[in-house]
Amino acid sequence: MNSGADVTVITLTVYQQRKLQSTLKSTGKVFMGPCNYKMNCIGTFTSQLRHEDKTTTEEIFVVKGLERSLFGRQAAHSLNLLNCVDALNSNEMKESVKEKYPNLFTGLGQIKDQEYDIKVTHEATRFAITVP
């Protein structure tokens, strides 16, 4: 999941395939792609999103030419799909998190007092969508 998306966007194909009953409204927002190119937002609609027992109402933007749909940060947080942990101050809190997420503190996340080089191939491309 891309936690950096400012808004929830879906592809035109997803909008058409789902035969959504919502009528698209025009929007004055400009979306810029990862290489600072203007994206083709054809409209917006409001919809209720649900995951397990959580629901949220979101404005969803339909973008023509978008490769994949993205949850916005707010939607991901509201549906408990994404949780941010800034710091673990107490041992009780640390143990609680370790118990709930046993794989969180293994591998790269466990390195202490040493440098680590993350190798990235030259073919790797950065990807992000932002709203100015």
Side-chain angles (χ1 to χ4, degrees):
M1 173 175 299
N2 179 344
S3 62
D6 293 328
V7 296
T8 298
V9 293
I10 64 171
T11 67
L12 177 58
T13 304
V14 168
Y15 179 78
Q16 292 170 335
Q17 286 175 345
R18 300 282 189 254
K19 298 182 175 122
L20 299 171
Q21 301 300 316
S22 303
T23 303
L24 289 179
K25 297 178 283 187
S26 63
T27 179
K29 293 188 178 187
V30 175
F31 294 89
M32 303 303 287
C35 295
N36 206 29
Y37 64 89
K38 184 177 177 182
M39 299 174 71
N40 187 5
C41 181
I42 62 169
T44 181
F45 66 98
T46 302
S47 183
Q48 191 174 65
L49 305 176
R50 183 181 65 235
H51 175 68
E52 295 177 347
D53 64 335
K54 301 287 183 187
T55 60
T56 185
T57 301
E58 291 287 319
E59 183 174 17
I60 301 172
F61 297 87
V62 180
V63 178
K64 184 177 182 180
L66 186 67
E67 186 174 322
R68 66 181 58 95
S69 300
L70 297 170
F71 266 110
R73 266 187 309 278
Q74 185 60 46
H77 282 289
S78 296
L79 297 172
N80 284 343
L81 296 172
L82 181 66
N83 294 309
C84 292
V85 177
D86 292 329
L88 301 175
N89 296 323
S90 72
N91 285 335
E92 184 179 322
M93 177 67 87
K94 288 178 186 177
E95 292 307 314
S96 171
V97 171
K98 281 183 180 181
E99 186 177 312
K100 190 171 182 180
Y101 306 100
N103 295 326
L104 184 63
F105 298 101
T106 61
L108 184 59
Q110 190 175 10
I111 294 174
K112 296 179 181 179
D113 302 325
Q114 56 182 305
E115 289 186 18
Y116 186 83
D117 291 323
I118 298 175
K119 308 271 190 273
V120 179
T121 65
H122 291 290
E123 295 81 34
T125 56
R126 296 179 189 140
F127 182 79
I129 293 180
T130 60
V131 176

